[in-house]
Amino acid sequence: MSDVQVHPVQDAWKERALVNAEQYEEMYKRSIDDPDGFWKEHMQRLDWIKEPTKIKDVNFNYPDISIKWFEDGELNVSANCIDRHLKDKGNQTAIIWEPDSPDEDAQHITYQQLHSHVCKFANVLKEMGVGKGDRVVIYLPMIPQAAFAMLACARIGAIHSIVFAGFSPDALADRINDCDAKLLITADFAPRGGRKTPLKTNADKALAKCGDDVKCLVIKRVGDDVTMQDGRDFWLHEMEQAVANDCEPEVMNAEDPLFVLYTSGSTGKPKGVVHTSGGYLLWTSMTQEIVFDYHPGDIYWCGADIGWVTGHSYIVYGPLANGATTLMFEGVPTYPDASRFWQVIDKHKVNQFYTAPTAIRALMGKGDSFVEGHDLSTLKVLGTVGEPINPEAWDWYFHKIGKGTTPIVDTWWQTETGGHLITPLPGATPLKPGSATNPFFGVRPVMLEAESGKVIETTEAEGVLAIADSWPGQMRTVYGDHERFANTYFQQYQGYYFSGDGARRDADGYYWITGRVDDVINVSGHRMGTAEVESALVSHPKVSEAAVVGYPHDVKGQGIYCYVTLMSGEEPSEELRKELRNHVREEIGPIASPDMIQFAPGLPKTRSGKIMRRILRKIAEDDFGSLGDTSTLAEPEVVDDLIDNRQNKK
Ligand code: WTA
């Protein structure tokens, strides 16, 4: 890869950076050689009610996986995110809220106001019978109350589980039932891109599939009529009138769960990823500050949705733990037009901006005219997350948005990791477009041979990416199924945490993530299990069998390609294609909407009946020349049919 352009750290950065190159080397070495000493020092960035004496207690030996950090420590996450800032920063803005429509006013919520909103919300939760350890599902638009709800749960020790507002009623019901939630928090409608999703109606459909004892707390966002069920549904604004302004934070153990977040895997239903209080908060706070080089007074904007882990860690917990000003945006990059991001950056004088490659590609595709006329000079750091960023998109982001001077942090991490694991630091790391570069403190990446699982010792390497030791922000278990946790992440390559990603390490030791090596596809930076889409398809009465694979998509990174075999007697048609697409949207949500549906009279299978996805992937990629060994196919002619159909469609 001799044509890779390296962007050295600029001189100005060597001065201002929280961590420069020498400090990075020295701190990284110490974090690996003496993790206990390193983390004993850095845990001081949190306010502990009882300071931990035990730092790390980890077993990566399958099947007895056990991960504990700061296990005798006590703290409260909401007090760390709010109360401790009141003395010096009570009047500083904690949250800037920018609504979907630029015609509606933005809001600035100070730390003092945040305190009173969260305390009231917490008291409402208590009033509704929610206590320490209870689960609360949150299904909300990107409104300040979403952050209040999370922090209110944390304040009383309840465990929140946020479900992205784009998920369907069925997906919502599954999650409420899986974590046995007591309460669902939702809003009347969710405005997005000028449209309104009827959240409360969706919630009603979901609750019809849940136990009678699940209550529903409703936030008025739009004000249009919704149906309220007596005894089950309550308005937040009404409940708040009757509660006190103050609420003592609950004393929590460092290892008490903070939240559950469902994410797609390669098999079966989504897993409830469990994060705990102490290690997670330490990790998100430290990475938010150092990776974005956040200085007091900076205006920081992470453009994710709180329905995903990026929103949890880098809109709410990380920045608020640091007393930062964090911007929350309700809308989409292209409404009212493709200049919305740049307009918001100018309007609020944003210093750090964090988004996904898919958004960058989409905006790049709209043309530079939407960027022109915007100042953008307040920007100091740009970030990306969610999928590998192609060098063209990196260059556009760097030159058009960052004016050729603003470093880009390409942060590799996962729902499971809590926060960044491999990422540049703006003042320490020379950048290579498309590479996530180097590990953060305490992270020990290893490259393994995919088949044998052997560690590749050479610097230059290509294989699967695993992590050799725990870090404080690591997930602790799958909710209600510790065995699944061990099997998913620790069984295949024993002694390591297996990320599910493939990677390459270059001669400088830089990591380049190449994408998932399991049956998970990455659609617009969102993880989608192919098995989930398949089971949605086969639940349609006209479908007998389905196989789903990812294929390269210009904007989304990967698109969803479905091969569908119909029940005998059913005829393929454009109408049926539409019907199936809608069916998947209803079962899972619009994010799972198939990009391509190919009707297939048969699927390529081995003689033992296993679908050969490798071949299906190649066909979807239009790569017919390298189908590999097809000799084990039960009916080789099936493949010719599929290729004919694929080609005819063009
Ligand atoms: C992918 C999102 C390349 C990867 C925080 C990972 C990336 C999955 C990057 C996790 C990156 C995330 N470069 N690939 N910078 N960041 N990924 O759980 O495949 O929604 O396993 O977490 O996204 O997705 P998740």
Side-chain angles (χ1 to χ4, degrees):
M1 295 281 287
S2 52
D3 57 342
V4 171
Q5 197 190 350
V6 181
H7 299 266
V9 176
Q10 292 152 34
D11 288 340
W13 269 95
K14 295 179 183 156
E15 297 293 312
R16 90 179 283 272
L18 291 170
V19 176
N20 63 28
E22 295 74 44
Q23 288 164 322
Y24 169 75
E25 290 302 332
E26 182 256 316
M27 286 170 77
Y28 182 73
K29 185 167 184 313
R30 170 141 188 261
S31 73
I32 301 301
D33 295 347
D34 174 24
D36 275 39
F38 183 87
W39 292 112
K40 206 173 165 63
E41 181 186 326
H42 287 282
M43 74 186 192
Q44 301 299 341
R45 61 187 300 126
L46 300 184
D47 246 19
W48 296 92
I49 297 167
K50 176 172 176 281
E51 200 161 286
T53 62
K54 299 182 186 160
I55 305 301
K56 178 183 173 208
D57 182 5
V58 170
N59 186 358
F60 267 19
N61 290 322
Y62 183 81
D64 304 314
I65 309 302
S66 152
I67 300 163
K68 289 185 192 143
W69 283 88
F70 316 113
E71 61 185 288
D72 62 346
E74 287 172 355
L75 79 170
N76 180 281
V77 167
S78 112
N80 269 279
C81 291
I82 309 170
D83 305 41
R84 66 168 167 156
H85 307 312
L86 293 180
K87 195 164 140 280
D88 298 329
K89 295 183 173 167
N91 294 322
Q92 183 205 296
T93 301
I95 298 176
I96 299 175
W97 178 67
E98 176 65 31
D100 185 48
S101 162
D103 300 333
E104 196 178 341
D105 287 339
Q107 287 178 21
H108 289 76
I109 297 150
T110 65
Y111 273 96
Q112 193 63 59
Q113 290 164 336
L114 180 63
H115 181 263
S116 99
H117 285 300
V118 169
C119 284
K120 277 194 174 180
F121 208 126
N123 285 330
V124 169
L125 294 180
K126 283 188 188 168
E127 195 69 17
M128 297 192 74
V130 177
K132 186 169 175 171
D134 289 339
R135 274 79 55 213
V136 173
V137 169
I138 299 175
Y139 184 63
L140 284 176
M142 287 286 292
I143 51 178
Q145 288 86 347
F148 305 162
M150 296 163 79
L151 292 162
C153 287
R155 198 161 188 91
I156 65 170
I159 303 166
H160 62 71
S161 182
I162 305 186
V163 177
F164 175 57
F167 274 119
S168 68
D170 278 356
L172 175 60
D174 286 348
R175 287 153 175 79
I176 295 172
N177 289 329
D178 187 83
C179 72
D180 197 13
K182 245 189 174 166
L183 177 72
L184 170 64
I185 303 174
T186 191
D188 50 1
F189 292 86
R192 220 164 161 255
R195 281 183 275 175
K196 291 182 291 188
T197 308
L199 279 195
K200 177 62 167 67
T201 310
N202 286 355
D204 289 339
K205 289 184 196 156
L207 287 171
K209 298 185 173 177
C210 303
D212 290 340
D213 49 348
V214 186
K215 299 235 177 331
C216 186
L217 184 62
V218 189
I219 293 159
K220 189 175 269 198
R221 163 65 184 103
V222 170
D224 293 357
D225 281 348
V226 292
T227 324
M228 297 290 280
Q229 187 177 312
D230 234 17
R232 186 194 74 181
D233 303 343
F234 301 84
W235 286 108
L236 176 72
H237 61 272
E238 287 176 6
M239 296 289 292
E240 276 187 341
Q241 283 172 3
V243 297
N245 250 330
D246 205 1
C247 170
E248 268 303 295
E250 192 74 33
V251 177
M252 303 299 287
N253 182 274
E255 281 298 327
D256 281 335
L258 176 63
F259 66 84
V260 177
L261 181 59
Y262 286 86
T263 190
S264 292
S266 47
T267 52
K269 54 182 184 135
K271 301 180 281 282
V273 168
V274 176
H275 281 290
T276 58
S277 306
Y280 171 82
L281 195 66
L282 176 58
W283 194 258
T284 52
S285 133
M286 190 161 169
T287 48
Q288 194 271 337
E289 185 182 19
I290 292 175
V291 173
F292 297 107
D293 204 67
Y294 186 88
H295 291 252
D298 283 350
I299 310 289
Y300 159 90
W301 178 18
C302 164
D305 190 286
I306 47 131
W308 312 111
V309 73
T310 309
H312 286 61
S313 301
Y314 296 110
I315 295 176
V316 179
Y317 289 118
L320 294 178
N322 293 333
T325 299
T326 179
L327 192 149
M328 222 175 149
F329 175 48
E330 190 184 36
V332 298
T334 48
Y335 175 79
D337 65 38
S339 69
R340 185 70 166 126
F341 272 0
W342 324 128
Q343 182 230 329
V344 173
I345 290 173
D346 278 357
K347 176 175 175 186
H348 295 292
K349 303 195 170 19
V350 170
N351 303 114
Q352 289 92 357
F353 177 59
Y354 192 28
T355 189
T358 184
I360 298 167
R361 284 193 299 267
L363 295 174
M364 184 171 83
K366 301 276 180 191
D368 295 351
S369 62
F370 290 101
V371 186
E372 282 153 17
H374 293 277
D375 176 44
L376 305 179
S377 65
T378 49
L379 287 172
K380 292 192 277 199
V381 178
L382 296 170
T384 80
V385 57
E387 53 176 314
I389 179 164
N390 47 313
E392 301 72 36
W394 197 100
D395 281 340
W396 186 82
Y397 199 30
F398 186 67
H399 291 289
K400 292 289 166 203
I401 308 306
K403 312 294 180 205
T405 57
T406 309
I408 297 177
V409 290
D410 175 356
T411 60
W412 175 79
W413 61 294
Q414 312 178 292
T415 306
E416 293 87 340
T417 70
H420 308 146
L421 290 200
I422 300 184
T423 175
L425 304 183
T429 319
L431 304 172
K432 298 185 190 182
S435 171
T437 78
N438 299 323
F440 193 75
F441 306 126
V443 176
R444 289 176 49 199
V446 285
M447 299 290 303
L448 305 177
E449 284 178 13
E451 295 293 323
S452 68
K454 270 218 282 291
V455 177
I456 308 174
E457 303 283 358
T458 49
T459 305
E460 279 187 83
E462 183 142 17
V464 300
L465 179 61
I467 313 290
D469 200 355
S470 184
W471 62 98
Q474 185 173 22
M475 77 182 278
R476 302 298 196 255
T477 191
V478 168
Y479 189 81
D481 198 347
H482 195 67
E483 205 180 316
R484 188 168 175 203
F485 175 58
N487 292 345
T488 307
Y489 304 104
F490 298 94
Q491 184 178 30
Q492 198 172 346
Y493 301 107
Q494 297 204 359
Y496 300 100
Y497 164 79
F498 173 44
S499 67
D501 279 337
R504 193 166 65 74
R505 190 167 54 206
D506 70 15
D508 296 325
Y510 273 39
Y511 289 88
W512 300 73
I513 310 300
T514 49
R516 303 289 305 191
V517 294
D518 54 9
D519 288 324
V520 170
I521 48 187
N522 194 328
V523 188
S524 302
H526 300 313
R527 273 160 69 166
M528 189 52 57
T530 51
E532 276 170 77
V533 183
E534 284 163 9
S535 79
L537 283 166
V538 295
S539 73
H540 189 282
K542 293 181 183 161
V543 173
S544 96
E545 205 170 21
V548 172
V549 296
Y551 76 108
H553 187 287
D554 284 348
V555 172
K556 298 178 175 184
Q558 280 192 299
I560 302 179
Y561 197 111
C562 309
Y563 295 89
V564 173
T565 307
L566 296 175
M567 293 288 189
S568 65
E570 299 296 342
E571 286 300 317
S573 68
E574 225 15 77
E575 215 151 289
L576 183 53
R577 208 175 252 133
K578 235 187 249 159
E579 193 176 315
L580 293 180
R581 196 166 278 140
N582 280 336
H583 180 71
V584 175
R585 292 167 70 94
E586 267 166 37
E587 291 281 310
I588 306 174
I591 48 166
S593 194
D595 295 285
M596 295 276 233
I597 295 178
Q598 176 171 347
F599 293 110
L603 295 172
K605 290 183 188 164
T606 60
R607 288 190 195 95
S608 58
K610 206 167 166 296
I611 294 177
M612 293 183 76
R613 287 163 187 288
R614 175 174 55 80
I615 293 179
L616 293 176
R617 262 184 231 123
K618 291 284 178 197
I619 297 175
E621 286 166 12
D622 274 341
D623 187 3
F624 310 128
S626 55
L627 294 183
D629 182 10
T630 51
S631 63
T632 54
L633 279 174
E635 295 171 275
E637 61 281 6
V638 164
V639 173
D640 300 329
D641 264 15
L642 289 176
I643 293 177
D644 280 351
N645 275 325
R646 171 75 172 129
Q647 284 170 325
N648 288 342
K649 277 200 59 198
K650 294 215 275 183

